[in-house]
Amino acid sequence: MEPLQGKVAIVTGAGQGVGQGIALALADAGADIAIVGRTPEKLETTCGLLRERGVRTEGYVANLLDTDAIPELVDQIVTDFGRLDVVVNNAYDGVMMPLLDMSVKNFTKGFVAGPFAAFALMKSAHPHLVAAGGGSIVNLVTSAMVRWDPTNYGSYAASKSALRSLTRTAAVEWAGDRIRVNAIAPHAMSPGIRWWTENHPEEAEEFVASIPMRRIGDPESDIGRAVVSLVGPDFGYLTGATIPLDGGQAHF
């Protein structure tokens, strides 16, 4: 029997890349999936892939920068699926550039898309996770938080550091509700990373050489399957942790 049979998961930013890989892996484990994103065509593509794996899925078009709309979104998903067991906060929308080139508006946008949106989704999901008897939340952070040279990554790393701290606090405060909250910091071949490796091969070669395992992770097999393990029963005693899924590159 699949370890997540009968469970329902929300995955944000699941139209492509890491979010899609996580959704596919959760489906292979038996979970039904509500996927959230901004682009209907991408959501439909992912829904098609999920349905091929025999699970129920629906796509929800939403801009998570509108945090006031998130409670209604979560309530609608629970109405449609009947329960909620897993939340994966993968979506992010921010700008990467030197700090002196960045406007306050763009800096703020990364925080709204990161910890603000994640907090709104986590808080909205809380009563539904409790009603299901407990559940698991996974927040995506980044090794840029501990990168040896954070040039251009300042806003991104700062927003993800805030999300990491939020993860730890929720894990402690909600443990009595049987809700586990963990973070992962992945490297994976997203569309953006693929474009970069193809258009900047020399830089990409240096980057891969800095990874002890000498490869960039696969969104489904390396990241998604790890998330399945993390939200499943085998890791039932783990909460408040940040797990790097990056082939050994980062040192937390």
Side-chain angles (χ1 to χ4, degrees), residues 195-239:
W195 179 91
W196 177 72
T197 58
E198 292 173 351
N199 288 273
H200 302 276
E202 293 183 0
E203 293 179 32
E205 185 177 354
E206 291 180 5
F207 176 76
V208 172
S210 72
I211 302 172
M213 294 185 72
R214 297 296 190 271
R215 65 181 181 86
I216 298 173
D218 178 78
E220 181 179 353
S221 61
D222 291 318
I223 311 306
R225 290 178 187 173
V227 171
V228 168
S229 296
L230 186 57
V231 304
D234 290 344
F235 279 83
Y237 197 49
L238 181 67
T239 195

Side-chain angles (χ1 to χ4, degrees), residues 9-15 18-20 22-23 26 33-37 43 86-91:
I10 295 175
V11 183
T12 68
V18 173
Q20 184 184 80
I22 292 172
L26 290 169
I33 316 289
I35 60 171
V36 179
L43 292 179
V86 175
V87 174
V88 179
N89 281 304
N90 165 70

Side-chain angles (χ1 to χ4, degrees), residues 1-251:
M1 182 176 178
E2 292 92 344
L4 301 181
Q5 187 72 41
K7 305 294 186 181
V8 173
I10 295 175
V11 183
T12 68
Q16 61 183 1
V18 173
Q20 184 184 80
I22 292 172
L24 291 171
L26 290 169
D28 274 351
D32 293 329
I33 316 289
I35 60 171
V36 179
R38 293 178 300 178
T39 308
E41 294 79 10
K42 292 180 179 179
L43 292 179
E44 188 54 42
T45 296
T46 299
C47 282
L49 295 172
L50 293 170
R51 292 183 183 116
E52 289 175 0
R53 302 195 182 196
V55 301
R56 181 185 174 189
T57 183
E58 297 292 341
Y60 296 82
V61 178
N63 182 357
L64 297 180
L65 292 172
D66 181 7
T67 55
D68 289 339
I70 289 177
E72 182 178 353
L73 170 67
V74 173
D75 288 346
Q76 184 61 58
I77 290 171
V78 175
T79 297
D80 293 344
F81 284 83
R83 62 183 293 145
L84 180 61
D85 305 272
V86 175
V87 174
V88 179
N89 281 304
N90 165 70
Y92 177 78
D93 184 11
V95 179
M96 298 183 195
M97 61 177 63
L99 293 178
L100 289 178
D101 295 335
M102 180 171 291
S103 66
V104 173
K105 181 179 180 180
N106 279 336
F107 188 86
T108 302
K109 180 181 179 182
F111 275 79
V112 175
F116 288 14
F119 172 70
L121 189 52
M122 292 162 63
K123 187 176 181 181
S124 300
H126 179 275
H128 303 295
L129 296 173
V130 170
S136 186
I137 298 171
V138 177
N139 295 323
L140 272 72
V141 293
T142 175
S143 60
M145 299 183 304
V146 295
R147 187 178 174 88
W148 63 95
D149 177 7
T151 301
N152 294 325
Y153 291 93
S155 173
Y156 180 55
S159 69
K160 292 296 187 177
S161 293
L163 182 55
R164 184 188 185 193
S165 180
L166 175 65
T167 298
R168 173 65 184 170
T169 303
V172 173
E173 292 186 357
W174 298 352
D177 298 321
R178 301 181 64 188
I179 297 172
R180 297 187 299 111
V181 191
N182 292 289
I184 62 170
H187 279 328
M189 191 61 77
S190 65
I193 292 293
R194 185 176 300 281
W195 179 91
W196 177 72
T197 58
E198 292 173 351
N199 288 273
H200 302 276
E202 293 183 0
E203 293 179 32
E205 185 177 354
E206 291 180 5
F207 176 76
V208 172
S210 72
I211 302 172
M213 294 185 72
R214 297 296 190 271
R215 65 181 181 86
I216 298 173
D218 178 78
E220 181 179 353
S221 61
D222 291 318
I223 311 306
R225 290 178 187 173
V227 171
V228 168
S229 296
L230 186 57
V231 304
D234 290 344
F235 279 83
Y237 197 49
L238 181 67
T239 195
T242 297
I243 300 173
L245 299 173
D246 63 357
Q249 186 190 50
H251 178 63

